[in-house]
Amino acid sequence: MSRLVNVTIKVPIELKKRMKEVNINWSEYLRGVIEAKVREELANKSSQRLEGIQSRVKEISTEEIVKWIREDRQRDFEP
């Protein structure tokens, strides 16, 4: 297991009292929630970066791609 560090949050006293009434491992629960949120945010960030890259790249036609493939194949067989 990796090293753990403490992270502190503040909740209203009434909520803390209600938290004690239920049988939940709050540390484990919150670690899971935080991990899921971090994954979500990183995925969003990656998606935004990809959209930025795609907006700067011109669209390439299928015909152009086929031409490149044929040129590559032809070079493979040239002496």
Side-chain angles (χ1 to χ4, degrees):
M1 180 182 247
S2 62
R3 282 182 39 181
L4 301 177
V5 297
N6 286 328
V7 176
T8 304
I9 64 167
K10 292 184 178 189
V11 296
I13 195 163
E14 290 301 317
L15 178 57
K16 175 66 175 170
K17 289 176 184 176
R18 290 187 302 209
M19 288 170 67
K20 289 181 181 183
E21 295 175 8
V22 296
N23 187 24
I24 293 178
N25 180 333
W26 291 107
S27 293
E28 183 179 320
Y29 173 78
L30 291 172
R31 271 193 298 274
V33 170
I34 292 168
E35 186 175 342
K37 186 62 175 177
V38 167
R39 276 199 213 116
E40 177 186 334
E41 292 298 320
L42 290 174
N44 288 340
K45 183 177 179 180
S46 295
S47 179
Q48 289 172 354
R49 288 183 67 200
L50 180 58
E51 287 173 5
I53 291 168
Q54 287 174 331
S55 70
R56 293 188 308 255
V57 176
K58 70 174 187 166
E59 190 169 320
I60 302 170
S61 70
T62 303
E63 292 80 17
E64 186 71 17
I65 293 171
V66 169
K67 179 182 165 192
W68 293 343
I69 292 171
R70 287 183 179 149
E71 288 173 357
D72 283 345
R73 285 185 180 167
Q74 187 174 359
R75 271 183 280 205
D76 289 343
F77 293 109
E78 291 178 351

